[in-house]
């Protein structure tokens, strides 16, 4: 009932140890097996391709992912996941799936209940506990260590704030129409959109709701 970690050093790993990561590509033609370098490059690529990535955040996350040691944890079915050192339950949940992370409320680590902020250790078996009512909090960014998850959380919070502005702006505009005894209709909104050069009604509501 316990997980065992076995470390094997292959000829290819010897080459990398002696000659550096450049030697890795020499062996890439012979095997499709993913390596730690591939995973790291993939994470950096995800950051670069994200249009919301801030340059300063990127440099910090780049260094974080470059120097972080890895831990290896297991899903309930025994699948292994590699994560940076000091990763939490929340990092693991997002590693499995973004929706699992968004609704995470805790986990069972080695059959014991733990909070989302619990630091994982190599060899841990993790079962994520979710709730349909749970949603990401701004505080979650302090809990996670992986750059990909931090980026996902920032994107989620921006989207959440945008939706709140849209809802608030729509209420403001409806109240204004009622106050002026005007009919609130699609035709009326179309005229307002043209007047303020807005792309669509959501764009208009967001500008109103944010005070812009």
């Amino acid at each position: 009932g316990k997980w065992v970690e076995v470390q094997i050093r292959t000829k290819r790993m010897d080459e990398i140890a002696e000659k550096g990561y450049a030697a890795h590509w020499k062996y890439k033609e012979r095997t499709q097996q993913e390596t730690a370098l591939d995973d790291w490059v993939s994470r950096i690529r995800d950051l670069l391709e994200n249009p919301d990535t801030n340059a300063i955040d990127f440099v910090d996350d780049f260094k974080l992912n470059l120097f972080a040691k890895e831990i290896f944890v297991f899903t309930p079915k025994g699948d292994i996941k590699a994560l940076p050192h000091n990763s939490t339950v929340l990092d693991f949940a997002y590693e499995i799936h973004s929706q699992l992370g968004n609704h995470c409320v805790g986990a069972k680590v080695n059959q014991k209940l733990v909070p989302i902020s619990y630091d994982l250790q190599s060899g841990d078996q993790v079962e994520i506990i979710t709730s349909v009512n749970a949603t990401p909090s701004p505080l979650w960014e302090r809990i996670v260590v992986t750059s990909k998850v931090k980026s996902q959380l920032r994107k989620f919070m921006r989207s959440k704030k945008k939706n709140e502005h849209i809802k608030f702006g729509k209420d403001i505009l409806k109240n204004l129409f009622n106050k002026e005894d005007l009919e609130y209709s699609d035709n009326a909104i179309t005229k307002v959109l043209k007047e303020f050069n807005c792309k669509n009604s959501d764009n208009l509501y967001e500008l109103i709701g944010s005070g812009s």
Side-chain angles (χ1 to χ4, degrees):
K2 294 183 179 180
W3 294 103
V4 179
E5 177 183 331
V6 179
Q7 295 188 352
I8 300 170
R9 182 151 167 163
T10 64
K11 183 179 178 183
R12 184 165 70 92
M13 292 163 72
D14 270 325
E15 283 282 321
I16 292 173
E18 295 298 323
K19 300 178 182 177
Y21 275 119
H24 160 78
W25 305 108
K26 175 183 172 185
Y27 286 91
K28 189 65 179 175
E29 296 174 3
R30 303 183 193 174
T31 175
Q32 293 300 314
Q33 191 175 17
E34 290 292 310
T35 67
L37 177 64
D38 293 322
D39 293 338
W40 179 72
V41 170
S42 179
R43 289 173 193 160
I44 299 304
R45 187 184 295 113
D46 286 342
L47 277 174
L48 287 170
E49 290 175 350
N50 186 350
D52 299 320
T53 299
N54 177 282
I56 296 174
D57 289 338
F58 172 76
V59 172
D60 289 339
D61 293 337
F62 184 90
K63 290 188 291 186
L64 173 70
N65 281 277
L66 176 60
F67 297 113
K69 293 181 180 178
E70 285 190 314
I71 60 171
F72 297 92
V73 293
F74 297 91
T75 68
K77 293 183 178 180
D79 295 329
I80 194 168
K81 298 291 180 182
L83 294 168
H85 183 61
N86 291 331
S87 287
T88 63
V89 162
L90 202 53
D91 286 296
F92 178 82
Y94 274 101
E95 178 69 20
I96 301 299
H97 197 279
S98 59
Q99 286 303 311
L100 197 66
N102 287 343
H103 298 292
C104 179
V105 293
K108 283 184 180 180
V109 176
N110 305 325
Q111 302 302 313
K112 293 181 181 179
L113 286 171
V114 297
I116 59 174
S117 58
Y118 181 84
D119 287 343
L120 298 172
Q121 306 294 322
S122 271
D124 282 344
Q125 183 189 41
V126 188
E127 179 183 349
I128 298 299
I129 299 170
T130 61
S131 168
V132 291
N133 298 319
T135 56
S137 156
L139 297 175
W140 282 16
E141 199 174 329
R142 299 180 188 176
I143 295 174
V144 298
V145 300
T146 44
S147 55
K148 185 177 180 180
V149 178
K150 285 179 182 289
S151 179
Q152 284 180 313
L153 287 173
R154 290 173 197 142
K155 188 175 181 180
F156 181 91
M157 297 316 298
R158 279 194 291 269
S159 177
K160 183 179 179 182
K161 194 170 185 179
K162 178 180 178 179
N163 290 335
E164 288 173 352
H165 284 159
I166 289 172
K167 186 176 183 299
F168 188 44
K170 190 173 184 178
D171 289 341
I172 290 173
L173 195 60
K174 278 186 176 181
N175 289 333
L176 182 61
F177 267 66
N178 290 333
K179 185 179 178 181
E180 298 294 331
D181 198 26
L182 297 169
E183 182 186 3
Y184 186 85
S185 64
D186 290 341
N187 188 41
I189 295 300
T190 300
K191 290 180 180 179
V192 178
L193 291 177
K194 289 180 180 178
E195 180 69 25
F196 291 97
N197 295 318
C198 293
K199 293 178 288 185
N200 50 50
S201 56
D202 280 353
N203 180 217
L204 172 67
Y205 300 145
E206 184 187 358
L207 290 171
I208 296 171
S210 64
S212 300

